[in-house]
Amino acid sequence: MTAALRHALVAAAGIAACVSAAAFDTAVPRAPAAAGDAGRFVWRDLMTRDVRAAKRFYGELLGWRFENARRGELPYVLARAGTTPVGGIVDVTSLAGAGEQWLSFMAVDNVDRTVSLVESGGGRVLVAPREASVARVAVVTDPQGAPLGLAQLRREIPDPAQPAASHFFWQEYLARDAEQALAFYKGLATYESAVLETRLGVDYHVLRTTRGRAGLFRIPPSAVDVQPNWLPYVLVENPAALAARVQGLGGRIVVPAAPERRNGSLVVIADPGGAVLALQKFPF
């Protein structure tokens, strides 16, 4: 992997403004759905300095549709795949120090208690717990510096067993210290873990609750520019074909499709602002 996977730590003031305007206010489906559990990733927000470019990129690449809205005094863009909300876009142009990246939110049983665990475990709080209409939320960084949103839900969010095309369906944690990260997140979200495979001396751990929720592996020592981060995955039918369109839409390929990487089913891309995400066919 390359320097494009370097996460830009979002300034606390910027995140605080974004969280107060986050999609938890309106975007969560209101119909009854399967109950969630701690450790499940339930939402993603894109922090960007060019909302127009982001909408064009994701709209043409993934077929997302967008709704412009405001949360308080701040603009917010809701992204949908079909009729289902899948994420949000936040304009951070006016926020000094805010980086362009995807911020993922993980469900927790008690956000205040989880924030205390983060602090006692060596992480830090960017945004203290605060109320939104359907969740109590916070934003933290873990001991290795990776940003993460936390959401104590007060409304159920669908948890489909079969992922749908153009929806987020997986997360991976890229760690400098895999053992430390495993211990931290097992304490935070009561994950169980198992090694799914080992390639080139690197163990791929699957973090589980009621089912697999995320992967975790050590960043290769040669990837000196890659910082620990949570990488979101979007389900697509033909990653290589989509990758061929990325550059023309203003993005770039970070990790190209290759037979040795999940049978050519995975590409990692950066959008026009540099925010990184993975596209994968599943099952591969």
Side-chain angles (χ1 to χ4, degrees), residues 225-236:
D225 289 326
V226 180
Q227 299 300 316
N229 69 96
W230 279 103
L231 177 66
Y233 274 61
V234 174
L235 180 69
V236 299

Side-chain angles (χ1 to χ4, degrees), residues 26-51:
T26 61
V28 178
R30 296 174 181 271
D37 60 331
R40 182 163 64 97
F41 285 84
V42 294
W43 193 253
R44 287 89 174 170
D45 272 336
L46 173 65
M47 311 297 170
T48 183
R49 295 182 179 277
D50 192 337
V51 172

Side-chain angles (χ1 to χ4, degrees), residues 41 169-175 181-182 185 191 193-194 196 203-208 212-218 229-231 233 262:
F41 285 84
F169 78 105
W170 192 244
Q171 292 282 146
E172 280 183 349
Y173 187 78
L174 283 65
L182 280 170
Y185 283 104
Y191 284 128
S193 72
L196 178 64
D203 291 337
Y204 187 90
H205 303 267
V206 174
L207 305 179
R208 300 185 59 87
R213 298 299 185 186
L216 184 151
F217 62 94
R218 178 176 57 87
N229 69 96
W230 279 103
L231 177 66
Y233 274 61
R262 301 177 195 175

Side-chain angles (χ1 to χ4, degrees), residues 177-212:
D177 184 335
E179 294 305 317
Q180 189 274 346
L182 280 170
F184 177 81
Y185 283 104
K186 284 182 177 181
L188 206 66
T190 63
Y191 284 128
E192 297 179 353
S193 72
V195 176
L196 178 64
E197 64 179 6
T198 299
R199 292 190 180 184
L200 302 176
V202 176
D203 291 337
Y204 187 90
H205 303 267
V206 174
L207 305 179
R208 300 185 59 87
T209 56
T210 53
R211 63 173 182 262

